[in-house]
Amino acid sequence: MYPPQLVAPMKAQLTDAGFTELLSAADVDKFFEDQKGTALIVINSVCGCAAGTCRPGVLGSLQKASVKPDQLVTVFAGFDVEATQRMREYIPMPPSSPSIALFKDGELVHFVERHHIEGRSAEMIAQHLEMVFDEVCGAEA
């Protein structure tokens, strides 16, 4: 578990941009009970690639995208342990942090694992997410 003063600015980078923090397993379950439309979920972390490319890439995609997810949600791996563990139960992929998930009507439709984040620039991640948003968030059901 990381000290609060270490993770606070890393959390704020997303929450200041409109992401809702899920802090407990109950918060995660409540979110998924009624999840309609599209939801971008960032599993945030202390990892250098989270700071260097994941968070900036996610934020860049939201600034530039013509269509955006309806909901923005985040959990913090290694800090909000219960919430992160529960979130991972909804994502049928091996645990990965940082990572980025896009859900539509409660179903995972796109997932960016840590190994797809490492070694890529924030701009590359932003461009990738913009294309995904166009495809998933712009498509009417």
Side-chain angles (χ1 to χ4, degrees), residues 30-42:
K30 183 172 175 30
F31 171 76
F32 277 105
E33 277 177 21
D34 301 319
Q35 200 278 306
K36 299 285 184 236
T38 54
L40 182 67
I41 299 168
V42 176

Side-chain angles (χ1 to χ4, degrees), residues 64-86:
K64 297 176 186 175
S66 57
V67 289
K68 299 173 187 166
D70 301 316
Q71 300 163 298
L72 305 173
V73 175
T74 185
V75 297
F76 203 102
F79 189 76
D80 298 317
V81 177
E82 179 187 302
T84 303
Q85 181 178 358
R86 178 72 89 225

